[in-house]
Structure formats: C-alpha cells, structure tokens
Amino acid sequence: MHAHPSSAPAHHAVLIVGGGQAGLSLSYYLQQRSIDHLVLEKHTPMHAWRTQRWDAFCLVTPNWQCKLPGHDYDGPEPHGFMKKDQIVAYLEAFLKKVNPPMLTGVTVQHVKARPEGGYAVQTTAGLFTADQVVVASGGYHEPVVPRLAERLPAHITQLHSEQYRNPQSLPEGGVLVVGSGQSGAQIAEDLHLAGKQVHLAVGDAPRCARFYRGRDVVDWLADMGYYDMPVDQHPLREGVRDNTNHYVTGRDGGRDIDLRAFAKQGMKLYGLLDSLQDGVVSFQDNLKAALDQADKVYNGINAAIDKHIAEQGIDAPAGGVYEPVWQPDGNHTRLDLAAEGITSVIWCIGFKPDFSWLDAPVFNGRGQPVHHRGVTRQAGLYFLGLPWLYTWGSGRFSGVARDALYLAEAIEKQALRAPVAAREPALHS
C-alpha cells in the first residue's frame, strides 16, 4: 500500500500507530465495525518478536493465556510454553487472519490536533489526517543503558538484552549480566547452563513459583481472579505500572528461577550496580535484602494460593515455604573486571518509552500518558498495549483483546459524536 498520490493528505477515520499484537487486535475489531482505518508500522508487523529476542526465548506464561482476538492458542500444549519460532508462527497466523490495512516501513514523526478537528499525522510517507489516533506502539522503545557503560574498557563486548542471541556468540571469558528482571534472570540462566562464568548484578525484581500444589501458579492466579483485576483496584493502583515483572521461566517445560541455587552452583551475585573506577565495578550492599524480598514475594503468592485452596475446599497436594539454599557471605560489592576475566557485559535493565513525536497535553510530570483504559482526556486520542493499561494482561497476549474491544467501542461512539466537518479531509496541509 502506498501513500496518497494527490496533493491532499490521505484521510482515514482512524490511524493506528504500531503493527504489533495491540495494533492488529484493534484492527480486528474496527474491521468488524466497518470503521475505516490504517495501521502505520515503523518496521514490519510483530518485528520485535523476530528481531529482539534471544534464541532460547520462550513464553513465561502458559500457552492457554494466548488469547488474541479470534485467535486463541489451539495447539497441543495449552499448559506448555511456546518457544520463539512457535510464537512467531502464532503471530504470523494472527496477522494473516486479521489482514489489516497497513503501511509498513513508515515512521510516524509528529501527531498534532488540528484546529478544525481531528489530527494531522506527519510520517516518512507524507502527511495523513485522521479523525482519531491510537498509539499502539507499546512502552518499550529505547533500551536503557547507563552512562557508566561509556567508561568500560574498549575490549569488553557490550550488548543490551534485545541484542543478545546465545552464549556461543559471546567471546570466551566471564560475563557480567546487569539486572535480574525476566530478561536478566533468563539470560543469566542461559549463559550459566552453557557453562559460562556468570556475574549477576541483582535488582529489585520479585520472583514466583512456576508450579505450586500441583498446578502452574498462573492457573491458580487465574482462578483467583488476579488477571481480571483492574488497575484501579490493585493495592498499588497505577504504581503497579512501575513494578518489575516476577522472574520465572517456561524453559524445558517450565521451572522456578532460583538465584540462590545458581550461586550455589558457582554463579557470582552482587547488589545493584553503583559505580566504576579503574576497571573495578562497585555494587550496593543490598544483595541479601534483594534476595530476601524476592523470596518474600514468592512465599506470599504461595500463601495466597494456600488461602484460596482452603477457602474453596480444593483437594490439592501439600504446599510449603521456600527456605533459602544459599546465603550471601558479604563479599558482593566489588568486581575487578580484569582479574575476573570479564569479556562481556549484558545490560538487562529494560526500556523506556519515547512519545516525543506525540504533541498532545496527555502526559504527567513523569512523561507517562494519563488515560482511563486507554482513553485520554483529549477527544479521539487513545493508547493501547501498555503494561497495566487496564489489567495485568494489557501488555500481553492474554488481555490485549479486552482492551482493544473497549477502544473499538469508544472509537465508534466518538465517530458518531464528531461533527461532519471534522471527518472531511482538509484540502491544505
């Protein structure tokens, strides 16, 4: 599909920025309502799943939670965990099913409300106008790498988690993994299993059990209604959006990730990264507190499951409390890169959003979009696919359909409300 050849900008009722699972889910529901729209995708649809995941990547939630609109997982392993190539195949099938009106390889450079109503959308394929705009580009745009990285010795290979592929692609020698969220913990495990000497700077990420009392913890939490809890009913309210995800893995059929067990096997653990001087990295003295807190969350989730089982009178195998298998000895605040033979550093401290192209008064003091279920206070402007947009599953395959349907209905109502003049394409830019 190509940009409009005439001098007037191409006009659509709705422009969707981003062709990942969120943008395609909305296209599915807009097509059902015969609402004119166009998806603008910077790269190719679902490109992040193909290009920004390591080789051994797999889902950390069971396959049955993959519930894109009209496209529930229907494979042979509902309680398994799809690997990278299976996830890509699942998404390719969804793309084919939706068959969205889409322009690929198009970057949105500027979005601004027009005085006469609707929006002007400047892109690398020219100017478009729209009555309504949906930002479905996610919240993971710019890899976070600290300034300290600039001062690491030049011979050390540095990668962000999105660039990491496999242990074989790294040079011989030790690896420092910074960050212990889902990516950091799983990449550290990937390297550890390959026999690499791993040094892990542990952050404040919590952890959870994979299986407990005979079932996947996700299955228990689903029964307990956790995945249907709206953000405004969560104890942390919108603060939950800042939380790091619990580390656990779906690898080899699924298992816990226990950093203490890794330490017992020779992985070296440290506190939060602090500073770098003369080839020596310093860490905060918080390793014990971080591990204890992660275990507290782990045991807390299991205790909530115990309570549910007791209240419902469910017959389930006995539970128990996790007891630490290893304790820090106090020597976890200093790492001499040369002495330890560190040849690679992998930054696993996440991403930050970049909405600098969106010229609209919908952001708070921290630069985060303010919305209710993706609907902003600015008429005709929406967000979709952000973590905890509405529920835990909003940024995932499990909850994005509910959010997309809600927005499709809001868009339909707004279209009926909008004056006719705003729906006519402008004849000048």
Side-chain angles (χ1 to χ4, degrees):
M1 197 170 185
H2 300 287
H4 207 274
S6 74
S7 57
H11 182 84
H12 292 275
V14 182
L15 280 175
I16 300 171
V17 182
Q21 66 261 25
L24 296 193
S25 294
L26 182 58
S27 176
Y28 175 90
Y29 290 120
L30 292 181
Q31 287 182 56
Q32 283 187 344
R33 285 159 179 74
S34 301
I35 295 174
D36 163 56
H37 65 283
L38 179 67
V39 180
L40 300 173
E41 166 53 46
K42 187 190 279 194
H43 303 288
T44 55
M46 265 73 92
H47 76 101
W49 294 97
R50 274 189 219 87
T51 63
Q52 294 173 9
R53 303 289 188 273
W54 57 95
D55 296 351
F57 182 90
C58 60
L59 293 181
V60 298
T61 49
N63 296 332
W64 67 260
Q65 270 206 336
C66 295
K67 299 181 176 195
L68 293 174
H71 193 57
D72 283 16
Y73 173 85
D74 62 358
E77 295 185 306
H79 292 280
F81 306 90
M82 284 193 278
K83 293 178 181 163
K84 183 178 172 180
D85 58 342
Q86 295 170 311
I87 300 165
V88 169
Y90 169 74
L91 292 171
E92 290 284 1
F94 180 56
L95 174 64
K96 205 169 171 184
K97 203 176 270 187
V98 176
N99 191 21
M102 180 187 290
L103 270 177
T104 58
V106 173
T107 301
V108 173
Q109 298 163 313
H110 194 232
V111 173
K112 190 171 186 175
R114 301 189 307 157
E116 62 269 47
Y119 293 86
V121 179
Q122 186 65 51
T123 78
T124 50
L127 180 67
F128 294 80
T129 58
D131 301 331
Q132 305 189 63
V133 171
V134 182
V135 180
S137 54
Y140 306 115
H141 305 134
E142 294 183 358
V144 175
V145 175
R147 290 294 303 265
L148 173 152
E150 299 164 15
R151 295 187 287 112
L152 283 169
H155 69 272
I156 291 181
T157 297
Q158 295 190 59
L159 299 173
H160 189 268
S161 58
E162 68 169 6
Q163 300 166 309
Y164 171 74
R165 291 296 166 266
N166 54 57
Q168 300 75 42
S169 60
L170 297 182
E172 289 289 313
V175 188
L176 170 61
V177 177
V178 180
S180 61
Q182 277 186 4
S183 294
Q186 290 176 74
I187 288 172
E189 182 193 48
D190 195 38
L191 295 164
H192 179 70
L193 293 174
K196 284 273 192 189
Q197 176 60 66
V198 178
H199 302 256
L200 177 64
V202 177
D204 59 2
R207 74 185 190 103
C208 67
R210 174 80 275 165
F211 303 104
Y212 184 64
R213 301 197 66 178
R215 295 174 81 199
D216 194 303
V217 162
V218 169
D219 291 34
W220 285 123
L221 292 176
D223 287 356
M224 292 158 65
Y226 180 74
Y227 301 123
D228 296 317
M229 184 201 311
V231 65
D232 54 13
Q233 287 175 27
H234 193 281
L236 296 174
R237 300 296 189 272
E238 292 181 9
V240 71
R241 291 176 180 153
D242 297 328
N243 276 10
T244 310
N245 287 324
H246 300 68
Y247 56 85
V248 66
T249 184
R251 189 164 174 160
D252 302 329
R255 55 173 171 254
D256 292 7
I257 287 185
D258 184 351
L259 301 184
R260 296 182 194 268
F262 289 157
K264 214 174 162 185
Q265 295 159 10
M267 187 183 290
K268 296 188 177 179
L269 306 184
Y270 306 85
L272 277 169
L273 184 73
D274 198 16
S275 62
L276 168 67
Q277 198 162 1
D278 302 328
V280 175
V281 182
S282 300
F283 304 89
Q284 292 176 26
D285 189 12
N286 68 324
L287 177 61
K288 184 180 188 316
L291 295 174
D292 288 349
Q293 180 57 31
D295 290 345
K296 186 180 172 186
V297 172
Y298 179 103
N299 284 324
I301 293 169
N302 289 351
I305 293 169
D306 290 338
K307 186 170 176 252
H308 170 73
I309 289 170
E311 285 172 354
Q312 301 296 319
I314 297 167
D315 184 21
V321 174
Y322 172 82
E323 296 289 348
V325 296
W326 176 90
Q327 288 288 3
D329 59 9
N331 186 25
H332 305 278
T333 57
R334 195 173 176 281
L335 170 61
D336 185 322
L337 297 169
E340 291 288 350
I342 304 290
T343 56
S344 312
V345 174
I346 305 177
W347 301 105
C348 301
I349 46 182
F351 298 81
K352 60 184 179 185
D354 175 17
F355 297 120
S356 57
W357 48 271
L358 180 57
D359 186 358
V362 295
F363 298 97
N364 65 16
R366 299 175 62 195
Q368 297 165 328
V370 177
H371 60 83
H372 175 70
R373 293 192 72 171
V375 180
T376 73
R377 284 185 175 173
Q378 177 141 330
L381 182 63
Y382 312 87
F383 286 85
L384 182 63
L386 296 176
W388 278 99
L389 183 97
Y390 179 56
T391 63
W392 175 89
S394 287
R396 298 173 164 86
F397 297 155
S398 63
V400 73
R402 169 167 36 197
D403 294 346
L405 176 58
Y406 183 85
L407 285 195
E409 290 169 348
I411 286 165
E412 191 169 35
K413 282 181 198 149
Q414 176 66 21
L416 295 171
R417 210 181 292 135
V420 174
R423 291 206 292 270
E424 290 173 357
L427 297 176
H428 54 84
S429 59

